[in-house]
Amino acid sequence: MKQCTLGLALLAALTLQVVILAGVFVNGFYPLWLGKEIRVETRPVDPRDLFRGNYARLGYDFSTLPTAGFRPGDVIYLPLEQDGELWRGQTPAHQPPEQGIYLRGRVTGSPWGGTSRVTFGIEALFAPKEKALQLERELRDGAVAVVKVAPNGRAALVKVETEAVNSE
């Protein structure tokens, strides 16, 4: 009887671990599978970190917001409006909009100078060292991030386009 109980407990623990890993996998790819592709303008940020490796760190105009009504840790919803080929952030809120495309983000860090930073999960593009350094140079002239946004506001970075912006 004890061996059967022990076997069931081990099977339950193993199943729980597999379910958790599957959930993390699905959560990460959900925007890529079901999301609508949009394009947002980026601005350059330092692309390397000694601990995380080489990556291009992307910034967006909508990544900073006035601190009024928002505290670090708050979840915010940023409605997006199409402006030509690009999408622009509108006024953030504590509740998701009833219609339209929006990004779900989290307020991070301490508010200094009346603004707070918001992360949406589309701020980094990992690359080999040479490609990250090349992307850093190209980002100085402007770039467009291609992002897929799921119906629940979760976003995933697909790629960064620099050629089209630089040739204009």
Side-chain angles (χ1 to χ4, degrees):
M1 183 73 172
K2 278 190 167 185
Q3 275 187 323
C4 182
T5 305
L6 181 61
L8 285 175
L10 287 173
L11 181 62
L14 180 63
T15 303
L16 179 64
Q17 290 177 4
V18 169
V19 167
I20 289 171
L21 286 174
V24 169
F25 177 79
V26 168
N27 191 37
F29 281 94
Y30 173 70
L32 294 173
W33 293 330
L34 299 177
K36 176 178 172 142
E37 189 172 284
I38 66 169
R39 298 163 49 93
V40 292
E41 194 171 19
T42 66
R43 51 184 182 177
V45 181
D46 184 19
R48 291 193 292 165
D49 183 319
L50 293 175
F51 298 107
R52 293 175 60 193
N54 293 300
Y55 66 99
R57 195 165 145 219
L58 306 172
Y60 305 92
D61 288 336
F62 52 77
S63 291
T64 56
L65 57 90
T67 57
F70 299 102
R71 296 178 304 187
D74 284 354
V75 173
I76 68 153
Y77 299 90
L78 180 75
L80 298 173
E81 186 175 275
Q82 192 165 10
D83 180 15
E85 289 187 14
L86 300 177
W87 290 74
R88 308 246 184 243
Q90 302 300 303
T91 304
H94 288 285
Q95 300 296 323
E98 292 183 19
Q99 59 184 357
I101 295 177
Y102 63 92
L103 294 176
R104 180 183 188 277
R106 186 170 299 275
V107 179
T108 59
S110 298
W112 290 312
T115 62
S116 291
R117 233 179 112 53
V118 181
T119 57
F120 296 98
I122 54 174
E123 289 79 20
L125 178 65
F126 289 90
K129 182 178 181 179
E130 296 79 25
K131 186 172 182 178
L133 291 172
Q134 176 187 356
L135 188 55
E136 173 191 11
R137 289 187 295 273
E138 292 174 354
L139 282 173
R140 290 182 190 139
D141 297 328
V144 171
V146 178
V147 175
K148 285 212 172 182
V149 182
N152 68 353
R154 290 194 43 96
L157 182 63
V158 176
K159 63 182 174 179
V160 176
E161 297 175 344
T162 58
E163 294 84 20
V165 175
N166 293 337
S167 64
E168 291 178 355

